[in-house]
Amino acid sequence: AQNMWHPYTSLVKPTKTRLVESASGCKFYLADENSDRQIEVVDGMSNWWAAIHGHAVKELDNAAASQLGKMSHVMFGGLTHEPAVTLGNKLVDLTPDNLTRVFLSDSGSVSVEVAIKMAFQYWVARGIKGKTKLLTVRGGYHGDTFGAMAVCDPVNGMHATMFGGMLSNHIFAPKPGPKIGEPCPAEEATISELATLLHDNVDCVAAVIMEPIVQGAGGMYFYSADYLRQVRDLCDEHGVLLILDEIATGFGRTGELFGCHHAGISPDIMCLGKALTGGYMTMGATIATDEVAFGVSGGKSHDNPLPLMHGPTFMGNPLACSVANASIDLLLSTPWQSRVQSIQRQLRSELMDPCKDMPSVQDARVLGAIGVLEMKEPLGPEDQDFLVDECGVWLRPFGKILYTMPPFTISEEELRKITTAMRMLAEKKSS
C-alpha cells in the first residue's frame, strides 16, 4: 500500500485507505486492522455511482467469464466483434431516437474528450473557422482529463486553483437558478444570461456542454428541467451543438433512464460511462446524431473523407462490452423504476425531511436514487471515519456535501442504515 498513490489525495499527508477483502450485494467486507475478523459496511456510493446492481452480480460475473473463454481483448482498429456490435445497437435503441452513431472509449472522461473533439471537428470539416470555444455553466464537472477539466467550474471546481491558468479558456454562464420542479421563464436571470452569452459569442461557440438535471461532483445540485429545455431551444435557435454529459445520470439514477428525459429533449452528442458496465469495467461511449457524425467525417458526398483521430488502445474491449450488454439487459428486465422510486421515497422521509431544518444543514435534497445533505461547514476525514467505524456505512463526503448514491438493489434495511448514519452525523455537527 505504501507504493500506491490513491485518487484525490497528497502523498505528504494521504487520506486513510481501507482494505476491501470482498464485496457482495450492497456490502463491502473490510479487513480489521486489529483482528482477523471482517468489518461489514453498507455501500452507499455504488463505486462512485456506477454499481447500480450492487456487487458480485451473477449475470455480470457470467458474462465476463463467458467472454474470457473467447477473447479478453482485440484491437478495434480494422477489427470488430459481436459484443461491441450488440452494445452499439442497444445504446442506439435506448438513447433518444436521433442518436445513431456510437464511439466507444475507455472511461467517462475520455468520452467527454471525444465529444469535444467531435464538436470542434464538425465545424472545421464544414469549412467554418473560429468555432473554438465551448459554452457551459458554473457548478459543472466533466472529468479529470484536460479537455474535460477546462469545462469544469473555473472558480470553485477541484481543478481551478492548480490548473486554471493552463486550461483552454471557455465561456461560462451562471449556475442554473431554478431548481428541479421549478419553472424557468425566459426572463429568469440565469437562463437569460446564458442566452445573451450564446448570442454574443455565436461565431466562436462550437457547442454547449452540460450535465443534464444533476450537477454531480460540482456540488450535487438538481436544476430545472424547464431550464434544460430552454438550453436546447437556444442551441437550435443559434445553430450550436448541444453535448449532454450523462456519465453520472445515465441508466436510471435520477428516476428516468437518462437525465435528458426529464426535459423531453435530445442532445446532438451524449456522453456515457460509470453505470454503462454496471460498475464492473472501465468504459465510456460518445453517441452522436447522423448530422454530427457525417459532418465530422466531411459530409456524405465529400471526396476526401475526414477521420476522427481518436483510438484508445482498449476501445471496444470485448470484456467490457459483454459486461455492459449483460448490465443493460439486467436493468431492463428488472423493475428499476419502481426500485428507484422506492429509494427516493425513503430518502425523502428518512433523510431530507428530518434533516432539512437542522442547524448544521444548509440544504437537503433528493432526486431518484440520490440523497444529499449540503452542510454549512466542510466535512473532514474524521467524519468519514465516524460513518465507517461507528455507523457501518461507506460514504465519501466531499467539501460540504454529504451524499449517497446507493445501488438500486439496496434493501429498505440497508438504506435505513445509510440514512441513519447521515442523520447522526448531521445531528453531531448540529450539537
Side-chain angles (χ1 to χ4, degrees):
Q2 269 189 330
N3 298 320
M4 296 307 300
W5 197 339
H6 284 262
Y8 308 117
T9 191
S10 166
L11 291 181
V12 175
K13 192 177 180 182
T15 53
K16 184 176 182 178
T17 56
R18 296 168 185 268
L19 179 63
V20 183
E21 294 186 334
S22 64
S24 178
C26 296
K27 292 175 180 174
F28 290 141
Y29 297 90
L30 309 179
D32 187 340
E33 296 175 354
N34 303 311
S35 72
D36 292 332
R37 71 183 185 92
Q38 290 183 322
I39 302 170
E40 178 185 284
V41 297
V42 178
D43 175 18
M45 297 294 295
S46 300
N47 280 354
W48 265 331
W49 330 337
I52 54 175
H53 311 294
H55 307 280
V57 182
K58 178 183 65 176
E59 293 84 351
L60 276 58
D61 288 352
N62 291 343
S66 175
Q67 185 57 45
L68 271 173
K70 300 172 185 175
M71 58 181 169
S72 60
H73 184 59
V74 61
M75 63 182 289
F76 212 52
L79 299 171
T80 190
H81 49 81
E82 185 276 330
V85 173
T86 299
L87 179 58
N89 290 336
K90 287 182 190 294
L91 292 176
V92 168
D93 289 343
L94 278 182
T95 53
D97 289 344
N98 64 327
L99 297 173
T100 55
R101 304 291 168 167
V102 180
F103 191 98
L104 298 174
S105 58
D106 41 7
S107 73
S109 291
V110 177
S111 78
V112 173
E113 298 287 340
V114 172
I116 293 171
K117 191 176 283 189
M118 284 180 179
F120 288 148
Q121 185 165 323
Y122 173 81
W123 297 106
V124 172
R126 297 176 67 187
I128 299 173
K129 298 180 180 180
K131 293 269 197 178
T132 59
K133 300 288 185 185
L134 300 169
L135 192 155
T136 188
V137 293
R138 294 188 184 275
Y141 173 83
H142 298 280
D144 295 341
T145 52
F146 256 63
M149 284 162 57
V151 284
C152 297
D153 191 292
V155 176
N156 298 312
M158 67 177 77
H159 307 297
T161 302
M162 183 66 67
F163 297 104
M166 307 175 202
L167 300 172
S168 298
N169 290 317
H170 296 298
I171 301 165
F172 289 84
K175 182 177 179 176
K179 296 179 180 179
I180 189 73
E182 295 178 351
C184 181
E187 62 273 14
E188 191 274 331
T190 58
I191 193 66
S192 178
E193 186 163 345
L194 185 145
T196 299
L197 285 169
L198 187 54
H199 176 272
D200 292 349
N201 295 280
V202 69
D203 289 341
C204 68
V205 172
V208 172
I209 180 168
M210 297 181 65
E211 300 157 280
I213 305 301
V214 177
Q215 291 188 310
M220 294 294 164
Y221 177 70
F222 312 148
Y223 68 88
S224 167
D226 196 24
Y227 178 100
L228 185 57
R229 275 190 289 271
Q230 294 206 47
V231 172
R232 173 73 272 182
D233 290 344
L234 287 166
C235 288
D236 291 340
E237 179 184 338
H238 293 286
V240 168
L241 300 178
L242 176 61
I243 302 169
L244 290 184
D245 176 350
E246 293 263 13
I247 293 163
T249 50
F251 302 101
R253 178 58 62 181
T254 66
E256 295 283 354
L257 195 57
F258 297 100
C260 64
H261 288 166
H262 287 274
I265 65 159
S266 301
D268 300 294
I269 305 172
M270 179 185 284
C271 302
L272 298 175
K274 291 194 181 293
L276 174 58
T277 66
Y280 264 53
M281 310 280 290
T282 180
M283 187 175 224
T286 309
I287 314 177
T289 63
D290 267 10
E291 165 66 24
V292 170
F294 282 104
V296 165
S297 302
K300 289 185 179 180
S301 60
H302 204 291
D303 292 334
N304 296 302
L306 302 174
L308 179 62
M309 298 304 291
H310 206 96
T313 301
F314 290 95
M315 178 180 180
N317 174 257
L319 269 177
C321 289
S322 294
V323 174
N325 286 324
S327 179
I328 291 170
D329 288 345
L330 180 58
L331 180 67
L332 298 181
S333 69
T334 58
W336 68 269
Q337 283 181 303
S338 62
R339 285 177 175 176
V340 172
Q341 288 167 1
S342 295
I343 291 170
Q344 178 175 265
R345 284 192 297 270
Q346 191 173 349
L347 287 172
R348 283 178 173 168
S349 64
E350 296 179 8
L351 183 69
M352 188 175 77
D353 291 344
C355 294
K356 61 186 177 183
D357 295 322
M358 286 186 183
S360 64
V361 176
Q362 182 68 37
D363 187 37
R365 48 190 180 265
V366 169
L367 178 64
I370 312 171
V372 183
L373 296 182
E374 183 176 342
M375 310 300 286
K376 291 181 179 176
E377 299 295 332
L379 298 163
E382 70 282 359
D383 297 310
Q384 187 171 37
D385 289 344
F386 171 80
L387 293 165
V388 175
D389 299 328
E390 303 298 324
C391 304
V393 302
W394 176 252
L395 297 171
R396 188 178 165 91
F398 65 92
K400 297 179 182 180
I401 303 298
L402 174 61
Y403 74 103
T404 183
M405 283 194 183
F408 300 167
T409 52
I410 196 165
S411 70
E412 195 173 317
E413 180 183 0
E414 289 168 333
L415 185 55
R416 183 162 297 120
K417 195 165 185 177
I418 293 171
T419 57
T420 300
M422 294 173 73
R423 199 166 61 244
M424 285 173 63
L425 182 56
E427 288 169 349
K428 186 167 175 270
K429 294 291 184 181
S430 296
S431 61

